[in-house]
Amino acid sequence: MALNVTGDEQGGWSVLRVAGELDLVTSPMLRQRIHEVVADGRHDLVLDLSDVFFCDSSGVGVLIAARRLIRSCQGRLRLILPAGGAVEGSHVNRVLGALGVRRLFDVYPDLAAAVDEEPQEPLSA
């Protein structure tokens, strides 16, 4: 299955909804979309990974590069993991944990929590 990335705006946040497989073949598409968002001057980004059912190390590399890019612009990056997310452990969450990079990301259970400007703690690892 290919990767599908759609975007919109939610309360000052750019939201990219990612669906499908995030792998060596498809990860450049996500990288390009992230760069387009930043080039448009939008530095607060939510990546909704709810519909990503497979993620390999190249996909993780894109997420890490996105974090670095957003931080260099003094922006914020938040991830939404699939239903249950960090609580029950999605595929993406397991991969991030196995590679030891889960702690680098602010993870939220849904879009409403991710774009909420009230101070709150993201889901723990």
Side-chain angles (χ1 to χ4, degrees), residues 34-95:
I34 292 167
H35 282 268
E36 289 169 0
V37 167
V38 172
D40 285 344
R42 296 173 284 159
H43 302 145
D44 290 333
L45 177 63
V46 173
L47 293 177
D48 183 348
L49 305 175
S50 297
D51 293 323
V52 173
F53 59 85
F54 177 80
C55 179
D56 69 8
S57 59
S58 61
V60 173
V62 169
L63 298 178
I64 292 170
R67 178 183 180 271
R68 189 177 315 121
L69 176 63
I70 294 293
R71 288 173 61 99
S72 74
C73 300
Q74 286 74 47
R76 297 176 289 174
L77 175 65
R78 295 179 176 176
L79 304 183
I80 300 171
L81 291 180
V87 177
E88 296 176 14
S90 68
H91 175 76
V92 175
N93 194 45
R94 287 192 308 270
V95 170

Side-chain angles (χ1 to χ4, degrees), residues 25-41:
V25 174
T26 61
S27 60
M29 179 196 309
L30 180 57
R31 176 180 284 117
Q32 179 62 37
R33 291 297 303 272
I34 292 167
H35 282 268
E36 289 169 0
V37 167
V38 172
D40 285 344

Side-chain angles (χ1 to χ4, degrees), residues 90-108:
S90 68
H91 175 76
V92 175
N93 194 45
R94 287 192 308 270
V95 170
L96 294 176
L99 294 173
V101 297
R102 169 66 179 76
R103 61 183 167 67
L104 297 177
F105 298 98
D106 292 334
V107 176
Y108 293 83

